[in-house]
Amino acid sequence: MMGQPAVAESQLKLPLARALERDVPDIEYINDYLVENERTELLKFLTCGSVDDGKSTLIGRLLYDSNKVYEDHLNALIRDSRRLGHNSDDLEFALLADGLKAEQEQGITIDVAYRYFATSSRKYIIADCPGHSQYTKNMATGASNCELAVILIDAQNGVLDQTRRHSLIVSLLGISQVVVAINKMDLVDYNERIYERIREEYLDFSKDLGFAQTSFVPVAAKFGENVVHHSTNMDWYAGDTIIELLEQAPVRADQRFDQFCMTVQRVHHPSEDFRGYSGTITKGVLRPGDRVVVLPSGHETHVERIVTMDGDLETSFAPQAVTVMVSDKLSINRGDTLVSPSYTPRVSDVFLANVVWMAEKPLVAKKTYLFKMGARQVTGQVSEFVHRLNVNTQAHESCEQLDANEIGLARIQLQRPVVFEDYVDDRTMGSFIVIDRISNETVGAGMICDHAATETGAA
């Protein structure tokens, strides 16, 4: 069956398996399956590392050994593997993740490839990030919404500059759970001493990165060893496989219901009787009659109606997309933020932020760029550089500019106030992108760290 996972019926969830036994699927069983699937928690994670560390192969093997490859994908894998000179017993599992033709031909990952699969207890979204330094911006994009990072290290090469760079970006992006997969152990004769040496080297490098949990797994991704199934060639390793660590990883549940926040993405005014403000609720609960404050103006009003395509709501909550009508005729524009009175994010035209620079032309102070924060786009500039981060030593170095793929702490001066929080407290309110005004290209990404930087004396 086209699009049906190539697995035995016994491996399917019972309600769906029973439905598929019939010539006409039983809607009741399928609905039960869909409801159960909807309630299953979701973990978003990324894979990253240096070039040729085996990221795409690891993901392909993870999908294949978990029986999550669809029949049409499996047939394409066999066909493309043969085209590249492999036989049916030596499949090129990286092809399951590398979707672009240029990636398959060159054997590298260029863009972020997203893959989806589920087990009986959890759903997953995988972001396979490129290893080449010129695609660091793609890696930062892929990491921005993830809760866990799988960092691959080639056992033959150990910890490299790109490993350090990716680990530093992972840390800056607020990912506190890291699984270090020391891959290609088959090419070093499954040597435990090499594994332990790389493990100690990485721990020494990452001790100040703030990871809450760092796990290590010796892996031979090409043969699926310690990916889903335990390796018989590394009986000296008694820890968990990659899939077991993913199954156990805590999923962030930091939703606060006492602090409402929604940024206005569009203003609707089809008639004199209707003026609504549309957006996606990012935190909290909203009900008709609730007081809300409009930021950055600070004006206060009450909610009259919460409108959706399916009718008015008596209660709305994150991450619903709604249109809010308020009781007063206020000047509320796209990019303004509606919050509950108890929620007091910062409002300012100046803040400190870690910036990942992505363009060939360097980031220089006093040059004007566009800073996009949510739905608000504001003109601004770097007023000064506090320091540049050395990705190898984590040392803070003085600088006058940031070159491509460099990371630095900078003071940002905007032309008008914006609403924000520190990135570690709120990824949505604490992030922004930098846009070149001439080319309209995204040239940088930033994570606000105003409070943390001030407390440590960086200001």
Side-chain angles (χ1 to χ4, degrees):
M1 184 187 299
M2 180 66 70
Q4 177 61 37
V7 296
E9 278 189 3
S10 60
Q11 293 174 290
L12 293 171
K13 292 187 176 181
L14 181 59
L16 184 59
R18 292 175 62 184
L20 292 174
E21 288 175 355
R22 304 165 182 258
D23 293 334
V24 179
D26 190 307
I27 299 301
E28 178 183 350
Y29 293 131
I30 291 179
N31 286 340
D32 289 343
Y33 169 78
L34 293 176
V35 169
E36 181 182 352
N37 186 67
E38 181 67 24
R39 293 174 179 172
T40 305
E41 64 182 7
L42 170 68
L43 176 68
K44 294 172 283 188
F45 71 95
L46 76 148
T47 59
C48 57
S50 298
V51 179
D52 293 331
D53 278 349
K55 300 173 295 298
S56 298
T57 300
L58 175 70
I59 291 178
R61 196 82 214 199
L62 183 63
L63 297 173
Y64 185 84
D65 287 351
S66 299
N67 296 310
K68 302 303 177 184
V69 181
Y70 290 90
E71 285 186 1
D72 51 341
H73 292 175
L74 182 60
N75 292 334
L77 171 64
I78 296 173
R79 182 184 66 249
D80 292 339
S81 293
R82 287 173 177 169
R83 176 172 56 85
L84 295 175
H86 299 266
N87 58 46
S88 57
D89 296 325
D90 182 28
L91 299 178
E92 182 55 68
F93 292 102
L95 297 176
L96 290 172
D98 287 335
L100 300 178
K101 186 176 181 180
E103 295 177 326
Q104 297 181 2
E105 291 175 345
Q106 298 180 48
I108 64 172
T109 300
I110 296 173
D111 200 1
V112 180
Y114 294 95
R115 292 295 177 265
Y116 310 86
F117 77 102
T119 63
S120 59
S121 59
R122 182 168 281 181
K123 294 181 292 187
Y124 298 93
I125 298 178
I126 315 170
D128 180 22
C129 297
H132 284 69
S133 60
Q134 62 263 43
Y135 302 124
T136 297
K137 63 179 181 180
N138 301 38
M139 181 266 167
T141 301
S144 60
N145 291 312
C146 292
E147 300 171 68
L148 180 145
V150 178
I151 298 177
L152 272 80
I153 298 176
D154 189 329
Q156 302 170 104
N157 301 325
V159 178
L160 301 176
D161 287 352
Q162 191 70 338
T163 310
R164 295 182 174 92
R165 178 180 288 108
H166 283 171
S167 299
L168 189 55
I169 294 174
V170 163
S171 173
L172 292 175
L173 287 169
I175 299 175
S176 62
Q177 301 180 77
V178 172
V179 174
V180 180
I182 301 176
N183 192 25
K184 302 186 180 181
M185 290 296 298
D186 52 302
L187 300 182
V188 294
D189 298 324
Y190 303 101
N191 192 311
E192 181 181 5
R193 285 180 295 177
I194 293 178
Y195 164 76
E196 289 294 341
R197 175 178 57 78
I198 296 173
R199 179 179 180 275
E200 292 301 320
E201 183 180 359
Y202 188 88
L203 283 174
D204 182 63
F205 155 74
S206 64
K207 62 180 182 296
D208 296 322
L209 291 183
F211 296 141
Q213 182 175 350
T214 305
S215 304
F216 294 84
V217 187
V219 171
K222 182 177 181 180
F223 305 107
E225 297 181 86
N226 286 337
V227 179
V228 172
H229 306 296
H230 285 271
S231 170
T232 57
N233 291 309
M234 292 179 278
D235 53 7
W236 45 263
Y237 174 73
D240 295 319
T241 63
I242 297 291
I243 190 64
E244 288 171 341
L245 289 171
L246 295 176
E247 292 280 86
Q248 300 164 16
V251 176
R252 185 171 52 202
D254 54 2
Q255 176 66 272
R256 294 195 59 174
F257 295 101
D258 59 332
Q259 295 184 341
F260 166 78
C261 180
M262 186 192 85
T263 298
V264 176
Q265 298 172 341
R266 187 175 180 182
V267 178
H268 294 277
H269 187 40
S271 67
E272 290 296 323
D273 299 327
F274 189 98
R275 182 185 292 271
Y277 307 100
S278 299
T280 299
I281 300 173
T282 57
K283 65 173 64 177
V285 176
L286 186 69
R287 300 178 179 87
D290 286 353
R291 290 189 303 151
V292 291
V293 178
V294 183
L295 297 177
S297 68
H299 294 132
E300 188 172 316
T301 184
H302 287 80
V303 176
E304 279 194 345
R305 295 173 59 191
I306 304 172
V307 183
T308 71
M309 291 291 292
D310 298 320
D312 286 15
L313 299 178
E314 291 302 315
T315 303
S316 58
F317 48 85
Q320 288 179 314
V322 298
T323 297
V324 178
M325 296 182 66
V326 298
S327 58
D328 300 289
K329 292 184 178 180
L330 301 176
S331 177
I332 303 176
N333 304 301
R334 171 179 164 84
D336 288 346
T337 304
L338 306 180
V339 301
S340 57
S342 62
Y343 178 45
T344 56
R346 300 196 66 186
V347 179
S348 177
D349 59 357
V350 181
F351 54 79
L352 288 167
N354 285 305
V355 179
V356 180
W357 194 243
M358 304 172 178
E360 291 302 318
K361 292 183 179 179
L363 171 64
V364 296
K366 310 303 181 183
K367 180 178 177 179
T368 302
Y369 298 91
L370 296 176
F371 292 80
K372 189 173 185 352
M373 308 176 69
R376 182 178 289 272
Q377 189 166 285
V378 184
T379 302
Q381 59 185 224
V382 171
S383 61
E384 66 171 325
F385 291 100
V386 179
H387 60 244
R388 175 177 55 215
L389 284 172
N390 185 310
V391 297
N392 297 319
T393 65
Q394 301 179 49
H396 295 174
E397 303 172 344
S398 62
C399 67
E400 299 296 328
Q401 64 182 40
L402 288 183
D403 294 323
N405 298 313
E406 290 188 333
I407 302 168
L409 180 65
R411 189 182 305 278
I412 310 297
Q413 174 70 64
L414 304 179
Q415 288 191 350
R416 62 179 185 270
V418 293
V419 183
F420 63 88
E421 281 203 67
D422 277 13
Y423 184 85
V424 294
D425 298 323
D426 189 316
R427 291 189 181 186
T428 302
M429 299 287 286
S431 60
F432 61 89
I433 60 173
V434 187
I435 302 172
D436 185 277
R437 294 195 305 161
I438 306 301
S439 66
N440 205 38
E441 293 181 351
T442 299
V443 290
M447 292 75 69
I448 298 173
C449 55
D450 204 67
H451 286 145
T454 301
E455 289 170 2
T456 57

